Amino acid sequence: MTRIAIPSCDETPIGSKPILDAFDRQFGFTPNQFTIMSLSPDALTGWTGLQGALSNTLDSKTRDGIALVVSQVNSCRYCLSAHTFLAANAAENLSLEEISLNRMGTSRDSKRDVAVRFAKKIIETRGKVTEFDLDVVRQTGFTDANLVEIIALSVQFLFTNFINNVFDTPVDFPKVFLAPKSA
């Protein structure tokens, strides 16, 4: 059961309405996560600014993999359901096998595997990674700018995980289980 009243369209702050309208056009509905975030126009605007700026970093499958592993580590049912649905239905969709692997912190793609493993390590260690961890990512061909992008993406997904875990946001995407099915 949710721990916050999800505002109706009439109850959302006016400063959040343009962003909510954009989500409604994108998804055909306004996901509960964004309706809750709309209670603070500043928080919603800040998150959408970060999300927008990072939407072209790395490649879409790597971004999806990072979203999945971060949400898995944080046991966020809402984000796992949303990101599984979006990754499986994107133009460059991920297979269900790849989605399961990403959730466990791996990938069949060797370069994506390193990025997903690193994102998992960032969240599990609260950013206290080792020099070896950084070297592995760099040796795979990621630049220092890419390292910053992996960290930023991880934090972006961490933020929504916390919103949804704190408020137990009702899932409005096809639900997935917290434990991934083995590939």
Side-chain angles (χ1 to χ4, degrees), residues 31-49:
N32 288 330
Q33 166 184 288
F34 303 125
T35 306
I36 289 171
M37 288 171 65
S38 78
L39 291 169
S40 169
D42 292 337
L44 181 63
T45 299
W47 180 84
T48 56

Side-chain angles (χ1 to χ4, degrees), residues 100-115:
S100 289
L101 289 170
N102 290 172
R103 288 178 61 185
M104 292 183 279
T106 64
S107 174
R108 289 227 182 268
D109 179 272
S110 60
K111 190 167 183 179
R112 187 175 320 121
D113 182 71
V114 170

Side-chain angles (χ1 to χ4, degrees), residues 6-22:
I6 298 175
S8 69
C9 187
D10 294 337
E11 297 170 326
T12 58
I14 192 135
S16 296
K17 290 193 186 287
I19 296 171
L20 293 181
D21 289 344

Side-chain angles (χ1 to χ4, degrees), residues 15 18-20 25-26 44-45 48-49 56-57 99 102 104 107 110-111 117 128 130 151 163 174 178:
I19 296 171
L20 293 181
R25 285 189 300 277
Q26 179 183 359
L44 181 63
T45 299
T48 56
N56 294 315
T57 60
I99 288 170
N102 290 172
M104 292 183 279
S107 174
S110 60
K111 190 167 183 179
R117 285 178 189 274
K128 296 185 187 288
T130 66
I151 295 164
I163 291 285
L178 286 176

Side-chain angles (χ1 to χ4, degrees), residues 52-71:
L54 296 174
S55 66
N56 294 315
T57 60
L58 306 171
D59 64 271
S60 64
K61 289 182 178 185
T62 300
R63 290 191 311 271
D64 287 338
I66 292 169
L68 290 161
V69 74
V70 168
S71 299

Side-chain angles (χ1 to χ4, degrees), residues 149-180:
E149 292 162 353
I150 293 168
I151 295 164
L153 285 162
S154 298
V155 170
Q156 171 195 327
F157 300 123
L158 179 70
F159 176 73
T160 56
N161 291 170
F162 279 17
I163 291 285
N164 294 307
N165 283 343
V166 166
F167 294 123
D168 197 17
T169 305
V171 178
D172 44 11
F173 290 91
K175 292 179 185 172
V176 299
F177 295 101
L178 286 176

